[in-house]
Amino acid sequence: MFQRLFGRERYANRAITEALYAQIVAAARQTVFYSAWNVPDTPLGRFEMLSLHMFLFQHRLRGEGGAAAEVAQVLIDEFFMDVEHSLRELGIGDVGVPKRMRKLAKMFYGRTAAYDDALQRNDHDALAVALARNVRPDAGAWPQASQLALYAADASRQLAEQPTESIVSGTVSFPVANA
């Protein structure tokens, strides 16, 4: 299966990558995050939601081998290429992009460590605190952090139930966020 998906069929690989990334982005762009849950609808707010969903996807495939490990790596590469493209669209020049990319990569991996720790311990409060610290650092109290933490934990459980074969074939499903 690994050879079939990632050995000779480059077009199929690209189609799988694009399908998975589109599903991750669609989940991160659910309107309720920005309207009812007060995630800032800014480039940084959208980065936070995309980072959360990319983390959840990577968290699901962690420890998998073969095609799943390859898909996980390709998707994280796609994520960082998308972030770089977004920086350029925002008008960041060639000189400033590498510095900002290093900062955003550090932010991403720092966040994922905090989210992973909270999910591993099944600690809702720690997850809500980490989300509030990252998504709304300037807000002080952010009551919707608890809702986002519940969503993230639910998404983690739902992703865990999805067969690896389905994911590496290009289908991943996140829960619908409800206000």
Side-chain angles (χ1 to χ4, degrees):
M1 181 165 133
F2 177 79
Q3 188 67 6
R4 188 182 89 231
L5 289 175
F6 294 97
R8 293 176 247 141
E9 298 179 13
R10 287 187 184 266
Y11 177 76
N13 299 344
R14 189 70 199 151
I16 290 168
T17 300
E18 288 175 359
L20 288 170
Y21 195 69
Q23 292 165 74
I24 293 167
V25 169
R29 289 187 178 164
Q30 293 182 68
T31 306
V32 71
F33 296 141
Y34 308 97
S35 60
W37 293 359
N38 295 319
V39 171
D41 192 8
T42 62
L44 193 55
R46 291 186 294 273
F47 170 79
E48 292 296 344
M49 288 297 90
L50 185 54
S51 293
L52 174 62
H53 286 82
M54 183 56 65
F55 156 73
L56 291 165
F57 180 83
Q58 295 291 316
H59 182 78
R60 164 57 182 90
L61 292 182
R62 184 179 51 208
E64 299 274 349
E70 182 72 20
V71 165
Q73 183 60 54
V74 169
L75 263 289
I76 201 72
D77 293 345
E78 185 73 21
F79 168 69
F80 282 112
M81 285 189 298
D82 188 32
V83 169
E84 180 178 344
H85 178 74
S86 295
L87 288 174
R88 293 180 188 284
E89 282 185 341
L90 290 170
I92 308 299
D94 289 340
V95 174
V97 168
K99 179 180 177 182
R100 286 194 172 81
M101 285 300 298
R102 282 189 298 275
K103 181 179 180 182
L104 290 169
K106 185 177 178 180
M107 288 169 59
F108 174 76
Y109 288 111
R111 282 151 172 69
T112 61
Y115 302 158
D116 184 56
D117 179 61
L119 281 176
Q120 292 296 328
R121 293 183 294 117
N122 198 26
D123 188 341
H124 172 80
D125 292 336
L127 185 56
V129 166
L131 288 164
R133 179 179 60 244
N134 296 320
V135 176
R136 296 296 307 258
D138 59 341
W142 180 43
Q144 295 84 1
S146 183
Q147 291 172 290
L148 187 55
L150 287 171
Y151 168 84
D154 185 44
S156 181
R157 282 189 297 277
Q158 184 173 321
L159 288 165
E161 294 171 359
Q162 294 174 40
T164 302
E165 296 78 22
S166 176
I167 294 171
V168 300
S169 296
T171 303
V172 65
S173 179
F174 289 87
V176 174
N178 295 310

